[in-house]
Amino acid sequence: MQFKNLALAASVSAVASAAPSAQSTTFGLVAIHSGSAVQNVAFNAAKSSIFAGLPSQGASCARADEQQATFYLSDGALYLYDTSATPQEIYVDASGMGQGKIGYTTGAEPAPTNSQRTGWTQVDGTLQFGGNDLIACPNSIDGAWSIWASAGVANPAGNSDCVSITARVEETTTPNGCSYTS
């Protein structure tokens, strides 16, 4: 009798481990900093970087007229959503050289030296890296804001007038799959 139960338990375990996992929740991000020009501005992805308010991502998307990037979290790592098998994964370089640079790689491309891919969490409807909110800096690219992780530098990479932002998560049930430019 015990052998029969053991065999049944092993069989159920094997079937459960072979089952595909459910797709992670997909979401867009919106910058929140009351009283600033970046307030309620959607995040975009382009040129291997993350922005807020970029007029055109230049991405190849299922719905080309939508210019907001779609993300998902998996085991502390953040990805750009697409239906293709080639992932685009976010990294953060919080070293003295990177100063909180957020970028992304495509496929098997390695992350830059000193960068890390995990540390992202969703807390009370916001996205954080390393337990901290993000930073937005006015950028020369079409009036957009470049998005940075907090690495102890108020104005990273020589930027000025940067502000701390809350990255509000806006879940979507109809994600727009895109292949973003590098």
Side-chain angles (χ1 to χ4, degrees):
M1 184 78 153
Q2 288 177 341
F3 179 72
K4 190 182 210 181
N5 289 342
L6 183 59
L8 179 60
S11 172
V12 169
S13 177
V15 170
S17 66
S21 61
Q23 169 64 40
S24 299
T25 301
T26 54
F27 55 89
L29 294 167
V30 174
I32 303 297
H33 183 95
S34 187
S36 76
V38 76
Q39 173 72 8
N40 291 323
V41 176
F43 281 32
N44 324 97
K47 303 178 183 182
S48 298
S49 294
I50 303 299
F51 297 92
L54 195 62
S56 175
Q57 299 182 114
S60 175
C61 298
R63 295 187 304 272
D65 58 323
E66 295 177 19
Q67 293 300 312
Q68 180 174 341
T70 304
F71 302 87
Y72 68 95
L73 278 170
S74 179
D75 297 324
L78 183 64
Y79 296 86
L80 291 163
Y81 175 79
D82 195 5
T83 55
S84 84
T86 305
Q88 290 187 293
E89 188 173 0
I90 307 296
Y91 67 83
V92 172
D93 183 350
S95 71
M97 292 291 290
Q99 298 185 353
K101 163 74 174 140
I102 299 176
Y104 58 88
T105 58
T106 301
E109 181 182 356
T113 303
N114 300 323
S115 66
Q116 55 193 100
R117 295 188 187 270
T118 58
W120 294 98
T121 55
Q122 189 173 333
V123 179
D124 297 328
T126 66
L127 183 72
Q128 295 182 336
F129 182 78
N132 297 306
D133 285 332
L134 305 179
I135 296 171
C137 301
N139 195 285
S140 61
I141 301 177
D142 297 325
W145 294 72
S146 57
I147 304 299
W148 299 76
S150 178
V153 180
N155 290 295
N159 286 296
S160 58
D161 302 321
C162 300
V163 295
S164 177
I165 61 167
T166 299
R168 184 179 69 218
V169 171
E170 295 190 338
E171 291 186 8
T172 178
T173 56
T174 57
N176 187 17
C178 297
S179 178
Y180 298 91
T181 60
S182 51

